[in-house]
């Protein structure tokens, strides 16, 4: 019998989510009962009368509170049936009024309203109004607590869902970088094997280092900035193979890089963009400048490349951003606060420039 009662109390339809245990309800009503008993004992100057009155009144309070919060509101308020809800709640209040009056009259005192100036021995309008208002107060108080708890629970679930979606989207964006990056690199290796170049083993070794970085580093939310820079250097060394002396690359690094952290594979797409949309489409001399500085906890990463020959028929990704740039934008939005980064994309003096200011400490 004991187990059956506990199982009933734990039913979701009665108590809602199991985060609120039956013990919580018992504690709430116990504390409320003690508070109300002492409160009315001071008003009546009679503790026993207050205790007996509340002993009768509280089962009625509880019934109305649970009826409203777990049945009437879900069935009528949530479905916008306000007229039916009003009719049912008034009916419930009236029935409970009759119960309370008769129980008080026959079990406690014939004076059912001792706080009144004169003795009340009948079911008067004043008694009915005051009793029903008191019940509405209890119902509203209980319902407000339940709605607050429900809102907090749903907010927590929504927050957890958003976090899971964020992690899923970030993982997808990282995986989006990888095929794009390795597609170009494998093309380099393919060209070298066709030429039977002695550089092929070195290129494969560098590629394996990049793959190792990608497999292990990208599982972390943040990676050492020095590791990211080494990855960029390996990438540049691989790309140099495709181009002759017509491609000029300069890379400058300054500042204290110790303890600096960055989202892994965040800078590679910016560098890769220079080769994909710059060097590979350019006729004549091509220049790529990469400058990285760490100043007062912020990294300023600037990458520039010569804008391709305007006579060639293709659209440079200044407006569209390309896969790489749009990927970086999305990862910054998802992985960093707005105050932690600033991304600028512009062309100037026949150079396409991307500047990323990012908090790294």
């Amino acid at each position: 019998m004991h187990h059956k009662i506990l199982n009933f109390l734990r039913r979701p339809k009665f108590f809602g989510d199991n985060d609120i245990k039956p013990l919580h309800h018992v504690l709430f009503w116990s504390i409320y009962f003690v508070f109300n008993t002492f409160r009315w004992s001071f008003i009546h100057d009679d503790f026993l009368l207050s205790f007996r009155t509340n002993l009768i009144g509280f089962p009625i309070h509880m019934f109305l509170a649970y009826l409203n919060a777990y049945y009437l509101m879900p069935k009528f308020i949530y479905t916008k049936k306000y007229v039916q809800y009003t009719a049912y709640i008034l009916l419930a209040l009236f029935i409970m009024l009759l119960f309370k009056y008769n129980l008080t009259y026959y079990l406690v005192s014939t004076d059912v309203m001792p706080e009144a100036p004169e003795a009340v021995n009948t079911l008067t309008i004043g008694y009915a109004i005051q009793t029903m208002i008191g019940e509405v107060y209890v119902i509203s108080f209980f319902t407000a607590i339940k709605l607050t708890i429900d809102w907090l629970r749903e907010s927590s679930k929504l927050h957890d869902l958003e976090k899971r979606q964020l992690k899923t989207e970030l993982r997808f964006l990282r995986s989006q970088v990888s095929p794009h990056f390795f597609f170009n690199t494998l093309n380099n290796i393919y060209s070298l094997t066709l030429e039977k170049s002695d550089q092929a083993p070195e290129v494969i070794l560098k590629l394996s280092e990049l793959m190792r970085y990608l497999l292990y580093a990208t599982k972390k939310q943040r990676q050492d900035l020095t590791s990211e820079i080494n990855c960029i250097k390996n990438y540049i060394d691989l790309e140099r193979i495709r181009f002759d002396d017509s491609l000029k690359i300069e890379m400058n690094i300054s500042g204290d890089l110790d303890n600096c952290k960055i989202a892994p594979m965040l800078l590679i797409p910016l560098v890769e963009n220079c080769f994909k949309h710059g060097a590979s489409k350019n006729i004549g001399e091509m220049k790529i400048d990469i400058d990285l500085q760490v100043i007062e906890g912020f990294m300023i990463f600037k990458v520039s490349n010569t804008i391709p020959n305007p006579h060639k028929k293709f659209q440079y990704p200044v407006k569209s951003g390309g896969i790489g740039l749009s990927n970086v934008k999305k990862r910054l939005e998802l992985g960093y606060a707005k105050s932690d980064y600033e991304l600028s994309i512009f062309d100037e003096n026949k150079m396409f420039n991307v500047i990323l200011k990012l908090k790294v400490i």
Side-chain angles (χ1 to χ4, degrees):
M1 183 66 180
H2 174 70
H3 294 295
K4 289 182 179 179
I5 294 174
L6 285 178
N7 289 334
F8 172 74
L9 291 177
R10 291 192 182 99
R11 287 181 186 176
K13 289 183 179 180
F14 186 73
F15 278 117
D17 192 278
N18 283 339
D19 289 342
I20 304 176
K21 305 298 182 185
L23 178 62
H24 299 150
H25 292 262
V26 173
L27 288 173
F28 169 78
W29 289 112
S30 298
I31 294 171
Y32 192 12
F33 178 84
V34 172
F35 169 78
N36 218 43
T37 299
F38 277 100
R39 172 174 171 261
W40 283 102
S41 69
F42 287 116
I43 295 174
H44 297 153
D45 196 21
D46 189 335
F47 179 82
L48 184 59
L49 175 64
S50 177
F51 178 78
R52 292 170 66 189
T53 303
N54 279 287
L55 203 59
I56 289 174
F58 258 73
I60 296 174
H61 296 333
M62 294 171 66
F63 180 84
L64 287 174
Y66 286 114
L67 177 69
N68 179 69
Y70 290 97
Y71 180 75
L72 295 180
M73 287 192 65
K75 187 174 180 63
F76 298 109
I77 294 295
Y78 298 165
T79 55
K80 299 182 179 180
K81 298 176 181 178
Y82 305 119
V83 176
Q84 293 94 320
Y85 171 78
T86 303
Y88 277 109
I89 197 68
L90 289 175
L91 177 62
L93 286 169
F94 179 73
I95 293 172
M96 288 303 104
L97 169 66
L98 297 178
F99 267 96
K100 186 173 183 179
Y101 170 78
N102 285 283
L103 289 172
T104 304
Y105 186 88
Y106 291 107
L107 298 179
V108 180
S109 172
T110 55
D111 184 3
V112 295
M113 197 174 178
E115 64 271 18
E118 298 179 357
V120 178
N121 305 113
T122 58
L123 186 56
T124 64
I125 294 177
Y127 171 80
I129 292 174
Q130 183 168 323
T131 301
M132 293 178 75
I133 290 175
E135 295 298 339
V136 170
Y137 166 77
V138 176
I139 292 170
S140 302
F141 181 57
F142 178 83
T143 303
I145 293 175
K146 180 187 179 296
L147 291 176
T148 301
I149 293 173
D150 289 345
W151 179 80
L152 290 172
R153 185 188 300 117
E154 291 302 317
S155 296
S156 177
K157 288 180 180 179
L158 180 61
H159 180 66
D160 291 340
L161 179 61
E162 288 176 346
K163 285 176 66 177
R164 287 196 294 271
Q165 289 176 335
L166 175 62
K167 290 179 180 179
T168 301
E169 190 166 358
L170 280 171
R171 283 196 295 267
F172 169 74
L173 288 170
R174 289 174 186 173
S175 66
Q176 191 181 39
V177 171
S178 310
H180 187 225
F181 168 71
F182 282 109
F183 176 78
N184 290 338
T185 307
L186 288 172
N187 277 341
N188 297 348
I189 297 175
Y190 175 71
S191 299
L192 290 174
T193 55
L194 288 179
E195 298 172 2
K196 297 181 180 180
S197 172
D198 294 335
Q199 292 180 299
E202 181 184 353
V203 173
I204 293 174
L205 181 62
K206 287 185 178 294
L207 179 59
S208 68
E209 291 177 358
L210 287 170
M211 291 180 68
R212 187 180 299 109
Y213 177 78
L214 178 64
L215 287 172
Y216 297 106
T218 53
K219 292 180 180 179
K220 302 178 182 178
Q221 186 177 4
R222 295 288 186 266
Q223 179 61 275
D224 292 337
L225 180 58
T226 52
S227 298
E228 184 79 2
I229 291 172
N230 290 334
C231 180
I232 292 173
K233 289 179 178 178
N234 283 332
Y235 173 78
I236 291 174
D237 289 341
L238 290 172
E239 287 286 23
R240 285 181 190 273
I241 299 168
R242 284 202 299 162
F243 303 94
D244 52 25
D245 295 336
S246 62
L247 176 61
K248 307 295 181 181
I249 304 176
E250 291 188 11
M251 184 173 183
N252 299 304
I253 300 171
S254 61
D256 185 6
L257 306 182
D258 293 339
N259 302 318
C260 292
K261 301 288 184 179
I262 190 172
M265 297 294 290
L266 183 65
L267 303 181
I268 281 289
L270 301 179
V271 178
E272 182 186 16
N273 196 71
C274 294
F275 290 93
K276 181 181 178 182
H277 298 289
S280 61
K281 299 178 182 293
N282 191 67
I283 298 176
E285 185 175 304
M286 179 69 186
K287 184 179 181 182
I288 296 177
D289 292 328
I290 300 172
D291 185 75
L292 188 150
Q293 303 178 59
V294 175
I295 304 173
E296 298 180 351
F298 278 86
M299 175 200 70
I300 301 174
F301 183 76
K302 180 179 179 180
V303 58
S304 307
N305 64 269
T306 307
I307 294 178
N309 193 317
H311 298 295
K312 294 207 66 173
K313 294 182 179 180
F314 68 93
Q315 183 178 3
Y316 195 67
V318 175
K319 295 182 180 179
S320 65
I323 295 176
L325 293 179
S326 61
N327 184 295
V328 171
K329 289 178 183 177
K330 191 66 174 177
R331 288 187 64 190
L332 288 170
E333 291 173 3
L334 293 173
Y336 289 89
K338 290 184 178 180
S339 59
D340 289 345
Y341 73 91
E342 182 179 340
L343 181 66
S344 302
I345 303 172
F346 60 96
D347 59 299
E348 185 179 52
N349 298 326
K350 298 183 180 180
M351 297 288 287
F352 181 75
N353 305 278
V354 178
I355 301 177
L356 173 61
K357 182 179 180 181
L358 183 70
K359 187 175 182 179
V360 290
I361 293 180

